[in-house]
Amino acid sequence: MVQVLPALDAGGVEQGTVELARYLVAHGHRSIVIAAGGRMAEQLRREGSEHIDWPIGRKRFSTLKYVPRLRRLLEEIRPDILHLRSRLPAWIAWLAWRRMDPATRPHLVTTVHGAYTPGRYSAIMMRGERVIAPSGMIRDYILEHYPDVDPQKIRVIHRGVSREKYPYGYRPDQAWLEAWYKQYPQTRDRLLLTLPGRLTRIKGQEHFIEIIAELKSRGMPVHGLLVGEASEAKKSYEAELRDMVRAMGLEADITFTGHRTDLKEIMAISHVVLSLTLVPESFGRTTLEALSLGRPVIGYGHGGVGEQLREIYPQGLVQVGDKDNVISMISSCAVCASLPQGRS
């Protein structure tokens, strides 16, 4: 199988790509990933996949040069499946694939990872011989905005997490705890609330800051963690968030951790993990990871997160934007919440 995506940096698409690649290798298949490099490239190669480092998601005219290169590559390696995971790389790959011999070219599979802006550009993700929807919400999106798509070729395959990697009741070891509290002593002996995700306007970080402020005003010993970084294009938004924290006097109560590779451990010591995304997401991986660890999740009830919570943890559902309900739920839980086990 050949998987195609923009880059191998942190994110749900990248994580899913690496996990599928690992599975393919473990079961004796050849796994090739075409993407620019990134944080996860070394792991991909270490786990046995081949990485072709092409910036195939770069939004410039010169990216078209990869159309004939990719066609030649596919004709040479003759994969069974070509799996497209993002729009611009999908266009490049489709242009290469469509000129190949239909009798010998690979089967074309696409995964619609988000509710893209409807239109011709996004329609490329519907051209797979099979179209994977990671949630019922995405299947509905496809059928609503692309009525010409045959419903029979859509496959709803819910994303998942490994129970071995995210075991119920997991607690970090003492060495990790000591290192954490040395770096972030302000989080010790606090009701720890965590919002994982990239720093973008749709992820709800402003709501999170306002929730922390209200809980503090009620005298609750809370501390908020914003776990994630801003892309270069979003650095100004990160500055806005930091200004907001300063203006509300919350510098000691909210920590920006930036990108972390130990999110499992952070969620495991958190009392509540939140998902406050303002637009529906196709999946919401961290929600399922936290629930697998046994940590309570409070989330806005739409998209993939809403589907997960309704099925697994309905007591964590709130209406989109209902900050008052989030505050009420945390307040009522806090009375009986114990501090993380094994703290140093």
Side-chain angles (χ1 to χ4, degrees), residues 179-190 223 252 255:
W180 172 265
Y181 288 120
K182 181 177 181 180
Q183 184 174 6
Y184 300 112
Q186 67 274 25
T187 65
R188 188 191 296 273
D189 296 341
R190 289 291 182 267
H223 191 91
T255 296

Side-chain angles (χ1 to χ4, degrees), residues 14-262:
E14 294 86 344
Q15 184 66 37
T17 299
V18 171
E19 289 175 352
L20 178 56
R22 183 191 308 130
Y23 178 90
L24 291 168
V25 171
H27 288 77
H29 302 289
R30 186 180 182 186
S31 167
I32 300 172
V33 175
I34 301 174
R39 291 191 181 97
M40 305 188 78
E42 181 180 351
Q43 177 187 351
L44 178 85
R45 293 189 293 267
R46 186 173 63 248
E47 293 176 347
S49 289
E50 300 167 49
H51 174 214
I52 298 176
D53 190 351
W54 289 353
I56 201 166
R58 187 178 293 169
K59 294 180 179 179
R60 56 183 63 177
F61 187 76
S62 60
T63 304
L64 288 171
K65 69 184 179 184
Y66 290 105
V67 172
R69 292 185 187 183
L70 180 55
R71 185 183 304 123
R72 289 194 296 269
L73 177 68
L74 294 173
E75 289 172 344
E76 176 186 343
I77 63 178
R78 297 173 65 88
D80 296 310
I81 297 173
L82 177 62
H83 188 174
L84 312 182
R85 292 182 172 270
S86 183
R87 289 174 292 176
L88 181 54
W91 274 107
I92 298 301
W94 180 78
L95 289 170
W97 175 86
R98 70 170 183 164
R99 297 291 298 273
M100 296 176 67
D101 183 349
T104 58
R105 68 189 180 190
H107 291 293
L108 189 68
V109 175
T110 59
T111 293
V112 181
H113 282 286
Y116 312 117
T117 302
R120 294 184 65 186
Y121 179 58
S122 300
I124 187 62
M125 302 308 297
M126 318 307 154
R127 293 196 180 186
E129 296 171 274
R130 287 289 183 269
V131 178
I132 298 173
S135 63
M137 166 250 177
I138 291 297
R139 183 180 189 277
D140 293 343
Y141 156 85
I142 295 170
L143 295 176
E144 176 183 356
H145 295 288
Y146 300 94
D148 292 339
V149 174
D150 180 0
Q152 296 302 313
K153 77 174 186 178
I154 302 172
R155 298 291 186 271
V156 177
I157 304 176
H158 293 99
R159 307 290 86 161
V161 300
S162 167
R163 288 193 177 276
E164 292 181 0
K165 185 175 180 181
Y166 295 91
Y168 187 86
Y170 169 80
R171 288 292 180 267
D173 61 32
Q174 191 66 21
W176 184 91
L177 288 165
E178 290 174 359
W180 172 265
Y181 288 120
K182 181 177 181 180
Q183 184 174 6
Y184 300 112
Q186 67 274 25
T187 65
R188 188 191 296 273
D189 296 341
R190 289 291 182 267
L191 185 72
L192 204 58
L193 310 178
T194 297
L195 181 68
R198 298 182 307 277
L199 301 184
T200 70
R201 294 190 187 279
I202 68 169
K203 290 289 187 178
Q205 283 94 3
E206 293 168 74
H207 284 202
F208 182 76
I209 293 168
E210 291 166 353
I211 288 166
I212 296 294
E214 177 59 26
L215 292 169
K216 286 292 294 184
S217 74
R218 298 184 183 191
M220 294 184 60
V222 298
H223 191 91
L225 293 176
L226 288 169
V227 184
E229 66 181 352
S231 67
E232 286 302 316
K234 302 294 183 180
K235 292 296 185 183
S236 61
Y237 178 63
E238 179 180 355
E240 288 181 34
L241 293 175
R242 291 182 181 274
D243 287 344
M244 182 178 178
V245 168
R246 281 191 293 270
M248 300 177 79
L250 297 173
E251 295 99 321
D253 306 303
I254 293 179
T255 296
F256 291 78
T257 71
H259 174 74
R260 300 283 303 198
T261 59
D262 53 357

